[in-house]
Amino acid sequence: MSVRLMVVDDHRLLAEALASALKLRGHRVLAAAAPTSGSAELVVSRAPEVCLFGTASPAAPGVFDPIVRIGQERPHVAVVVLGPVPSPRGIAAAFAAGAAGYVRHDERIEGVERAMLKARAGESAVAPQLLQGAFAELLNPAAQPDDEGRRLLQMLTPREAEVLVRVAEGEDTRLIAAGMRIAPSTARTHVQRVLMKLGVGSRLEAAALAARTGLLDRAAVARGDGDGGAPRGPDGGVPQGPYVPGRSG
């Protein structure tokens, strides 16, 4: 039974190879395109029965945004994701975005073909064990980020946690140094250690990761420690600044 379909992938060579294999099996391939990030407009304009959506990073933020748009503008297009299965999070994200199925990227062509036919028929095109894990992830969306935030916070010293909060608040090295009453070179070293421990390459990435995993809230609480987030002195205590009228202490 022939399916009218499109193949999109982050790698054009893979998209074209899969498209060629499906053509040989009698299916009508409207297009093979790359990358997936720019695929929504093409899929919406061509309106296939099925779109095979290949990605190497199913857990990456925003990777399934094109599927959301396809579902909004062409709800009758069944999208089947082809990708690795490192954890249920990526599978859950695919279904949450509106995918009709998920197939391992190393599946045989017969398996891909079966998934296409099931998706076109309105059925869930996913192995039972993968579906079970995806549903568990959808039912407990906050558990994974919360655990990740706790794990990341444990990697940081109290001072590094404070630096992370200040980075997320948009402070540059000079302001961090002034607020914590440390030398700019020391502040710069703290920032570099935070980036290294979090495994990111920029302050913006650090702030985004902290917000996404709940680490930022945890770090802010750890930084406050009952004193409203006041900067701490070298010994860890709250330094005594000049007297301010109306302020106790």
Side-chain angles (χ1 to χ4, degrees):
M1 189 180 299
S2 177
V3 176
R4 190 175 74 255
L5 66 110
M6 285 183 57
V7 182
V8 297
D9 196 284
D10 289 330
H11 302 284
R12 181 173 297 278
L13 184 61
L14 295 180
E16 293 176 348
L18 181 56
S20 297
L22 291 170
K23 283 181 181 179
L24 291 176
R25 300 180 72 86
H27 298 287
R28 182 184 174 193
V29 180
L30 302 182
T36 56
S37 58
S39 63
E41 184 173 351
L42 183 60
V43 175
V44 168
S45 66
R46 297 293 183 90
E49 294 176 304
V50 176
C51 172
L52 296 180
F53 187 97
T55 177
S57 307
V63 68
F64 295 128
D65 287 352
I67 298 180
V68 175
R69 181 183 169 189
I70 293 169
Q72 292 171 342
E73 301 190 33
R74 294 290 186 181
H76 299 300
V77 175
V79 180
V80 177
V81 176
L82 308 179
V85 189
S87 74
R89 185 185 302 181
I91 305 171
F95 282 108
Y102 196 106
V103 179
R104 294 182 64 100
H105 66 333
D106 56 356
E107 179 64 76
R108 296 173 62 89
I109 190 67
E110 293 84 1
V112 175
E113 194 172 32
R114 284 194 298 270
M116 288 165 37
L117 293 171
K118 291 183 68 174
R120 186 179 66 173
E123 301 177 30
S124 177
V126 61
Q129 63 271 27
L130 299 185
L131 191 60
Q132 182 179 7
F135 282 157
E137 188 75 22
L138 286 173
L139 291 172
N140 302 281
Q144 186 75 20
D146 186 64
D147 291 342
E148 180 71 0
R150 182 183 298 110
R151 183 186 69 81
L152 292 172
L153 182 61
Q154 291 174 347
M155 297 169 57
L156 304 178
T157 66
R159 176 142 296 190
E160 289 167 351
E162 180 177 352
V163 167
L164 177 61
V165 173
R166 292 180 179 275
V167 166
E169 291 174 348
E171 294 187 7
D172 59 17
T173 301
R174 179 181 57 81
L175 289 176
I176 292 173
M180 297 179 67
R181 299 188 178 184
I182 57 179
S185 59
T186 303
R188 191 174 300 108
T189 297
H190 282 317
V191 171
Q192 291 172 347
R193 287 177 178 171
V194 169
L195 299 184
M196 179 184 67
K197 288 184 177 182
L198 296 183
V200 296
S202 70
R203 299 183 183 210
L204 182 60
E205 289 181 78
L209 176 64
R212 186 172 69 251
T213 62
L215 171 60
L216 188 57
D217 292 336
R218 291 178 176 276
V221 170
R223 173 196 176 193
D225 195 24
D227 57 43
R232 298 182 176 277
D235 59 354
V238 180
Q240 300 298 317
Y243 172 75
V244 178
R247 178 177 175 181
S248 61

